[in-house]
């Protein structure tokens, strides 16, 4: 199954989930604040690597790459 990134409409946190094609995230909950109903991050195809051409994007903190805890 592909991995998708979902963005929380409440706190902006990114939750990465393995889910089947067509998943829209509406029943997923944010790993940061627990808000249910996440927005699919179309550009965030986690299985294709980190967007931005390498490294961990613009994040210089040790957040393991998803930046949910450092911004
Ligand atoms: Zn959230």
């Amino acid at each position: 199954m592909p991995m998708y990134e979902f963005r929380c409409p409440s706190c902006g946190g990114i939750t990465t989930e393995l889910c089947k094609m067509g998943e829209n995230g509406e029943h997923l909950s944010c790993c940061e604040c627990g808000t249910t109903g996440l927005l699919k991050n179309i550009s965030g195809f986690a299985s294709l690597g980190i967007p931005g051409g390498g490294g961990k994007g613009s994040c210089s903190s040790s957040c393991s790459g998803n930046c949910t805890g450092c911004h």
Side-chain angles (χ1 to χ4, degrees):
M1 285 191 291
M3 286 188 78
Y4 291 106
E5 287 184 349
F6 294 91
R7 183 168 52 85
C8 175
S10 180
C11 74
I14 300 297
T15 300
T16 304
E17 293 283 348
L18 271 173
C19 54
K20 59 184 180 291
M21 296 293 286
E23 176 61 73
N24 61 15
E26 69 183 7
H27 70 271
L28 299 175
S29 57
C30 178
C31 65
E32 295 291 315
C33 70
T35 294
T36 302
L38 303 183
L39 305 173
K40 195 177 199 174
N41 192 353
I42 301 298
S43 63
F45 239 108
S47 62
L48 298 181
I50 306 298
K56 294 177 179 177
S58 59
C59 181
S60 58
S61 301
S62 54
C63 67
S64 301
N66 64 9
C67 293
T68 53
C70 66
H71 290 299

